[in-house]
Amino acid sequence: MDHKTSPFVPPRVGGRTAADSVLAERDLRRSVIKAFAETNPVHRAGRSASAAPDIEWIVELNLRLIARTLATGEHAPSDRDLDTLAASAARRADDGATLESIIAAYIRGFGEVWQRLARAAGPADLGDLSVATGLLFTQLDLVLGVVATGYANERARMSVHEQDARFALFQAMISGTDVEAAARRAGIGIAATYLVLSIAGGQPVDDDASEAVSARRRVHRLERVIDGLGSGSTIAVLGEAGGTALVPWDGTHTDDSVDLSGLGVDLSSAWGGPVVAGAEFAPVHQVHEALAVAEELVRIARRTRRAPGLYRLSDLMVEYQLSRPSLAHSRLASTLDPILDNSELMATLGDFVDSGFDRRATAAARHIHPNTVDYRIGRISTLCGVDLATAGGRQLIAAALIVRTLAEPGPDGRRDPP
């Protein structure tokens, strides 16, 4: 038995074809144009209810495409029309419109067309109105796909340009060269003062996503925390291990009186694991110097087994100074030479210093008797020639341990267990 496809019959409402209704009503054009214009930031900012020629033009095109679909039942616009729709969405992206506002404009526009057809339809037209409704929805689905692609491609192009310009400014700031020129090219104003952050993330808590997805999530959460700090546009380069952020500051209260302790907690929470960060305030032309200090603070905090958190120079001033080369540096480090090969004594000394020279706390950390601690500390005093019963001897041995720890290779400075 032969099955023949029934020929398409254009839907009719109110005594004429739906296509004619769309093309003939000038008031419909004005309503759809107004819906488009209200979502365009350029025209909205200018308080213009009438649209510029580009919006009138794209509305006319869409109404012609709708009318053609209603007249023929075909949904595929020509390649030229598809390119035109995509180009219009790209221009809206350049204007600063959001994709949500563009989609809303199309939905309102198509909705306005349907409302006019529905109001014109009589009881006998309900079947035709149903056909017209299906055609409109199919056309809207096709158009929104083209528009979204055109918008996304333009935003990607703009994003690449913006990212390249911002990265060039970032490079200029951390190297201390041509900052003003890079800022002009990037189209970004620079602040007088910046909070310079060096961020090192530890092992995050496992989640149910792949490592790549998990890393992107961590970076996005860090960005949200950092973006809310300063007085302008933050410039940050962040990745799966942490990174660097330059936060514009308003120029006031940039000394140690600024309480940044909560920031350390926020960074760890956003990371989903322990974060050690170094922070320094600096004028824009000294950002590169401040970054070197912030990075060194992170290294010192991690190597000396400090708790996760944010550290400033005032927090690690002694350790920072002891990490600088000096005439006494090598001699101070050599104080521990007699016990370097004795992991038991080195581990005990480390816990003894970390506990504030508390023999009982050291014993608990080492899981040994306090008398054993006394014996080992006595051996260290004898071998190193430093009296650890005196304040001066303890200061000397603590400084020597810091110097030796910071000079050793390794990411965290952990000592061998006893």
Side-chain angles (χ1 to χ4, degrees):
M1 182 181 224
D2 292 336
H3 293 278
K4 295 182 179 179
T5 303
S6 300
F8 175 77
V9 178
R12 298 177 64 86
V13 292
R16 60 181 175 180
T17 65
D20 287 341
S21 295
V22 169
L23 292 176
E25 294 192 30
R26 300 305 306 177
D27 185 49
L28 174 59
R29 283 172 166 71
R30 287 192 294 271
S31 297
V32 176
I33 287 171
K34 183 178 180 181
F36 267 68
E38 286 176 346
T39 65
N40 188 304
V42 172
H43 302 119
R44 188 171 61 244
R47 302 177 183 274
S48 174
S50 64
D54 63 324
I55 288 184
E56 295 179 354
W57 168 65
I58 202 64
V59 167
E60 290 283 354
L61 173 61
N62 275 282
L63 290 176
R64 288 199 305 272
L65 293 176
I66 289 172
R68 193 195 73 167
T69 296
L70 292 172
T72 66
E74 297 177 0
H75 301 287
S78 67
D79 289 342
R80 180 177 179 180
D81 288 336
L82 292 175
D83 290 343
T84 300
L85 291 171
S88 173
R91 281 194 296 274
R92 298 291 301 282
D94 287 336
D95 286 344
T98 64
L99 180 58
E100 290 84 356
S101 71
I102 297 174
I103 290 174
Y106 272 90
I107 291 174
R108 284 203 293 269
F110 272 70
E112 191 67 30
V113 172
W114 185 88
Q115 290 280 358
R116 295 305 176 91
L117 296 177
R119 285 197 292 267
D125 299 329
L126 293 182
D128 285 51
L129 179 61
S130 177
V131 172
T133 300
L135 293 170
L136 280 173
F137 271 104
T138 303
Q139 182 77 1
L140 176 61
D141 181 63
L142 185 150
V143 167
L144 289 183
V146 173
V147 166
T149 299
Y151 182 95
N153 289 341
E154 178 63 13
R155 285 303 307 171
R157 184 194 67 79
M158 293 167 62
S159 178
V160 168
H161 173 74
E162 291 169 0
Q163 289 174 6
D164 288 347
R166 290 173 69 84
F167 185 71
L169 176 58
F170 175 84
Q171 290 285 76
M173 293 177 72
I174 65 172
S175 64
T177 58
D178 279 339
V179 175
E180 286 86 357
R184 283 194 300 272
R185 289 192 293 271
I188 300 174
I190 52 176
T193 303
Y194 281 82
L195 170 63
V196 181
L197 296 173
S198 178
I199 302 167
Q203 181 64 39
V205 177
D206 291 336
D207 59 25
D208 57 357
S210 67
E211 176 54 32
V213 171
S214 179
R216 286 196 296 272
R217 289 175 178 172
R218 294 196 298 272
V219 168
H220 291 160
R221 291 195 299 264
L222 279 181
E223 288 173 341
R224 285 196 292 271
V225 170
I226 295 168
D227 286 343
L229 292 175
S231 55
S233 179
T234 294
I235 304 173
V237 175
L238 302 171
E240 60 183 18
T244 301
L246 310 179
V247 182
W249 214 254
D250 63 8
T252 61
H253 305 299
T254 57
D255 56 18
D256 288 336
S257 64
V258 179
D259 183 9
L260 297 176
S261 58
L263 177 56
V265 175
D266 292 342
L267 292 174
S268 289
S269 177
W271 186 259
V275 165
V276 174
E280 279 296 300
F281 287 103
V284 62
H285 292 290
Q286 295 177 17
V287 162
H288 60 295
E289 298 173 0
L291 179 57
V293 173
E295 290 175 340
E296 179 68 0
L297 293 176
V298 170
R299 186 183 78 88
I300 291 171
R302 298 180 76 185
R303 295 300 307 281
T304 56
R305 301 190 296 179
R306 292 294 186 109
L310 185 140
Y311 294 91
R312 300 180 65 178
L313 184 57
S314 56
D315 300 317
L316 298 172
M317 198 170 296
V318 171
E319 292 86 347
Y320 182 86
Q321 188 59 39
L322 289 173
S323 69
R324 306 297 92 189
S326 68
L327 292 175
H329 198 265
S330 60
R331 185 173 299 180
L332 188 58
S334 68
T335 303
L336 298 178
D337 284 352
I339 63 170
L340 282 182
D341 294 333
N342 191 320
S343 61
E344 182 181 82
L345 294 184
M346 285 294 294
T348 301
L349 177 61
D351 287 328
F352 189 53
V353 172
D354 289 346
S355 69
F357 306 101
D358 185 323
R359 61 190 286 272
R360 292 192 178 276
T362 303
R366 290 285 95 200
H367 304 292
I368 56 179
H369 195 277
N371 289 343
T372 304
V373 174
D374 292 338
Y375 169 74
R376 293 181 183 179
I377 295 302
R379 286 193 62 202
I380 293 170
S381 294
T382 300
L383 293 171
C384 296
V386 178
D387 187 357
L388 293 181
T390 66
R394 290 177 175 181
Q395 290 176 353
L396 178 63
I397 208 71
L401 188 60
I402 291 171
V403 170
R404 177 65 68 175
T405 298
L406 295 178
E408 290 173 352
D412 58 11
R414 291 187 180 276
R415 305 178 185 89
D416 295 330

